[in-house]
Amino acid sequence: MERKIIDLRSDTVTKPTEAMLKAMMEAEVGDDVYREDPTVLRLEQLAAELLNKEDALFVTSGTQGNQVAVLTHCHNGDEVILEADSHLFYYEGGAMAALAGVQTRTLTGSRGALDAAQVERAIREKNIHLPRTTLICMENTHNRAGGAVISPEKMKAVYDVAHAHGIPVHLDGARLFNAAVALGRDVTEFTQYTDSVQICLSKGLSAPVGSILAGPKDYIEEARWWRKKLGGGMRQAGYLAAPGIIALTEMVNRLAEDHQHARLLAEGLSKFPVRVLPVDTNIVLIDTQGTGMTALELLAKLSEEGIRASDFDRHVVRFTTHRHITEQDILDVFQAFEKILA
Ligand code: TLP
């Protein structure tokens, strides 16, 4: 019998549900570049409503949504303030510099949250020598901070500072629904403190592909133009939008189960000689130094036991729970740790 792989590398590995596959088969489609795909239009309208924004755009990925957002907000030579470990800065291949031609002003947050006073100090004054600060980005949940949730109150503090200076705010909400479920608050409580927001349909929500960028109507119109320039004008995209509709309508509440599994994993791992970082949602970070192994060395051992996770730093391993991870899988991880560290 083939051995089961317990894949905790990311929630991006989730496959579509039966209902999603059926919706894909039955989707009504048209050419979306002509705005004639009824399923894409339905997804975009639904997403705009849920996020309480005027309009929304279906994009190919979280990275494309974030980069289109920056391109739409900024001109080249502008400065963007964002958290030093944010996905936009850390994991998007330098795209902000390469595509939008902006320079980044990174601030170190506290579990991913920017400090409003620090943001205010970093905003450039009007001066012939200086670049213009034209965008402030936040990330919620914050991936490299271990799926940390940033409360709407903390977001408001940054948003108020940004708006006092006439600067828009973009939210990388790849896992915003995880934040909302963790705090038991509606996503609109977070999105009210953003001008634009990107959410991923293809992570814990299990759609096969795609993200949403939402914001004001004229902003999304401009974003649509940038998406086309980046090659993101998809034609019969309704086949991909159909599972996205199910992601938003049927898959949000189940994220609580991923959070519960992450807590279970964290509790169990804390009995081993690793340092387990605080867990808010579906991501568990551990520091491996107490094992005498680097992250890569521990990952190699785990892999021999059929368990996959990600290296986040020389001594940091990330485990991400998702729909395909069961309680038994978590127990199997503990067993593997016992064997590896015996
Ligand atoms: N994150 C991936 C990797 O790129 C690290 C993962 O496995 O977590 N924003 C945030 C906060 C993300 O975590 C990700 C993906 C993205 C944006 C980009 O989404 P995609 O992969 O759809 O481009």
Side-chain angles (χ1 to χ4, degrees), residues 120 122-134 165-167:
E120 185 146 44
I123 292 172
R124 302 287 195 159
E125 60 191 65
K126 253 207 177 118
N127 179 312
I128 197 165
H129 299 92
L130 304 177
R132 293 182 176 146
T133 307
T134 56
H165 292 266
I167 301 168

Side-chain angles (χ1 to χ4, degrees), residues 135-176:
L135 183 63
I136 295 168
C137 298
M138 291 190 262
E139 180 175 316
N140 203 1
T141 63
H142 193 294
N143 183 356
R144 285 189 60 81
V149 174
I150 297 165
S151 69
E153 292 69 29
K154 282 196 184 138
M155 287 184 63
K156 179 181 190 302
V158 172
Y159 178 82
D160 286 349
V161 161
H163 275 225
H165 292 266
I167 301 168
V169 170
H170 172 68
L171 175 65
D172 176 352
R175 298 187 180 84
L176 184 62

Side-chain angles (χ1 to χ4, degrees), residues 10 12 61-63 66 87 91-92 139 143 172 174-175 198 200 203 318:
S10 183
T12 57
S61 65
T63 302
N66 282 339
H87 196 280
Y91 282 127
E92 300 190 10
E139 180 175 316
N143 183 356
D172 176 352
R175 298 187 180 84
Q198 180 276 119
C200 285
K203 297 198 162 60
R318 181 185 80 166

Side-chain angles (χ1 to χ4, degrees), residues 135-312:
L135 183 63
I136 295 168
C137 298
M138 291 190 262
E139 180 175 316
N140 203 1
T141 63
H142 193 294
N143 183 356
R144 285 189 60 81
V149 174
I150 297 165
S151 69
E153 292 69 29
K154 282 196 184 138
M155 287 184 63
K156 179 181 190 302
V158 172
Y159 178 82
D160 286 349
V161 161
H163 275 225
H165 292 266
I167 301 168
V169 170
H170 172 68
L171 175 65
D172 176 352
R175 298 187 180 84
L176 184 62
F177 286 97
N178 292 84
V181 166
L183 293 190
R185 298 174 76 163
D186 196 82
V187 275
T188 57
E189 292 192 51
F190 301 84
T191 59
Q192 65 181 318
Y193 304 123
T194 68
D195 296 280
S196 57
V197 52
Q198 180 276 119
I199 55 152
C200 285
L201 303 167
S202 65
K203 297 198 162 60
L205 301 182
S206 299
V209 170
S211 275
I212 291 288
L213 176 64
K217 209 161 197 56
D218 53 349
Y219 175 86
I220 293 300
E221 202 173 300
E222 182 75 0
R224 190 177 297 282
W225 181 77
W226 275 112
R227 184 191 67 172
K228 185 74 177 70
K229 284 226 289 198
L230 296 181
M234 297 176 283
R235 302 295 178 169
Q236 287 72 43
Y239 294 119
L240 298 176
I245 292 170
I246 294 176
L248 291 177
T249 52
E250 294 177 22
M251 303 301 284
V252 172
N253 292 337
R254 63 150 309 285
L255 294 173
E257 190 182 310
D258 299 343
H259 299 175
Q260 214 252 316
H261 286 156
R263 279 195 300 272
L264 182 70
L265 180 63
E267 270 166 36
L269 289 182
S270 63
K271 300 191 179 100
F272 295 94
V274 294
R275 190 165 65 87
V276 183
L277 279 79
V279 174
D280 289 354
T281 54
N282 67 327
I283 292 177
V284 180
L285 300 184
I286 62 164
D287 186 317
T288 64
Q289 283 179 84
T291 66
M293 282 184 269
T294 62
L296 288 176
E297 284 164 355
L298 178 61
L299 288 177
K301 298 266 186 211
L302 284 169
S303 172
E304 285 168 22
E305 304 306 316
I307 294 159
R308 305 184 79 178
S310 302
D311 68 304
F312 244 33

